[in-house]
Amino acid sequence: MFTIVACMKYINSRLLSGDVQLEGGYVINPYDLFMLEQLLKFKKNTSCRIVGLTMGPLACVEVIQRCIAYGLDDIFLVCDKTFSGSDTYATSYILTEALKYIGRADIYAFGEKATDGETGQVSIEVASRLDLLCVMGVHKFWMNSANEILLERKFADRLEELILPIPCALGFRGFTVKEPQINLLKIKKARNYTPNVLTAETLKVKSYYCGNLGSKTAVKETEFIITKRNNEVIEGTSKNKADILKKLISGFGKEKT
């Protein structure tokens, strides 16, 4: 069966909700959520299997179960203390070994980047390690033939349509925090799902390529900062609201320094 592996990341919920820690503690990275949205649209029109791959702690099991409720068929969780502290270089090595373990797929899908990292390099590095053609900026895609896909991507200030042979790697460009609509029955059923946990021993990785030891960069210091914005509610008639909004816009950037 046509198989897609969705490489995704779960992030601390406080990155999206300010000081409020949401139930479960983790949410799916908004860039990866957009990618999943496109994959699920593809699945509605094409018979295929979508397998998720993520690297993180066991504490993100709840959000993994939600992804099963969305429509993913299976999920592999790469979890081991050996992987802690991995930068993009080490992460790409670990994910590549995990993808080899999972087996061949037709499409390897990635979100544009992660809100807690912003590097946007993992997809390219993984594709390079797997010797795959990688196209970034993908917006949506379709089957073109048994061995090709047709895709639309955003490139600079224009949209391009490309035909790619499979297998290939796709980096999706887009962001959303709106989860797919799912019914309570699917959520309830997904609560019984247990992800396939892949450890360093399972993958038989070389520990000196993982974690801080295998990273090319080192984190000297971290600080959790949430930038708060001031909100203002505009009330009154439509004309009054328009006048107030116009005044606010005209004064933007003219604050005294």
Side-chain angles (χ1 to χ4, degrees):
M1 178 180 286
F2 193 93
T3 302
I4 302 173
V5 176
C7 298
M8 51 195 180
K9 185 175 185 179
Y10 301 116
I11 60 173
N12 192 305
S13 61
R14 290 176 63 196
L15 290 172
L16 297 183
S17 58
D19 292 334
V20 181
Q21 185 81 27
L22 300 181
E23 184 179 354
Y26 290 90
V27 294
I28 188 168
N29 171 47
Y31 294 97
D32 294 333
L33 187 56
F34 175 83
M35 175 262 292
L36 285 183
E37 185 180 78
Q38 306 316 308
L39 298 186
L40 293 171
K41 286 180 181 178
F42 178 83
K43 188 178 183 181
K44 284 184 179 180
N45 301 312
T46 307
S47 177
C48 69
R49 182 169 177 262
I50 302 177
V51 177
L53 174 63
T54 186
M55 196 166 108
L58 291 172
C60 64
V61 167
E62 184 175 328
V63 69
I64 284 176
Q65 292 171 339
R66 287 192 69 81
C67 286
I68 292 295
Y70 294 162
L72 270 68
D73 298 285
D74 207 358
I75 296 179
F76 289 81
L77 172 62
V78 178
C79 180
D80 196 295
K81 62 181 181 181
T82 304
F83 305 146
S84 299
S86 296
D87 66 358
T88 55
Y89 182 81
T91 296
S92 69
Y93 165 72
I94 297 165
L95 291 180
T96 298
E97 294 306 304
L99 289 170
K100 290 177 181 177
Y101 179 90
I102 293 171
R104 183 190 180 282
D106 297 285
I107 293 177
Y108 300 84
F110 300 83
E112 184 179 358
K113 54 188 175 182
T115 56
D116 63 350
E118 294 285 343
T119 61
Q121 298 297 314
V122 172
S123 54
I124 300 170
E125 292 180 21
V126 170
S128 178
R129 290 179 184 273
L130 291 174
D131 195 25
L132 290 171
L133 176 64
C134 181
V135 174
M136 304 299 292
V138 178
H139 186 60
K140 51 188 175 182
F141 71 107
W142 313 264
M143 286 300 299
N144 189 60
S145 69
N147 301 309
E148 295 175 331
I149 59 169
L150 171 66
L151 64 84
E152 183 181 279
R153 76 161 178 167
K154 295 179 181 179
F155 183 76
D157 59 347
R158 63 182 183 274
L159 289 176
E160 292 184 337
E161 282 194 354
L162 302 175
I163 295 176
L164 291 185
I166 53 178
C168 61
L170 304 180
F172 287 80
R173 183 180 179 184
F175 177 105
T176 184
V177 294
K178 185 179 180 180
E179 296 186 18
Q181 290 186 341
I182 46 179
N183 59 50
L184 293 176
L185 183 61
K186 288 184 177 180
I187 294 175
K188 184 177 180 180
K189 185 177 179 181
R191 286 175 181 167
N192 297 320
Y193 176 80
T194 302
N196 305 283
V197 178
L198 303 179
T199 64
E201 183 179 357
T202 305
L203 298 176
K204 295 181 172 54
V205 295
K206 297 175 181 177
S207 59
Y208 49 84
Y209 286 151
C210 307
N212 291 321
L213 195 61
S215 299
K216 299 297 183 180
T217 58
V219 178
K220 184 178 179 181
E221 183 179 354
T222 61
E223 184 176 354
F224 192 84
I225 300 175
I226 295 293
T227 303
K228 293 185 177 180
R229 300 178 181 179
N230 295 323
N231 299 318
E232 182 177 343
V233 178
I234 301 176
E235 299 179 329
T237 65
S238 298
K239 186 179 184 306
N240 289 339
K241 291 179 181 178
D243 290 339
I244 295 172
L245 185 59
K246 182 178 179 181
K247 184 178 179 181
L248 289 172
I249 294 174
S250 63
F252 183 76
K254 296 180 181 179
E255 295 86 353
K256 294 181 180 180
T257 58

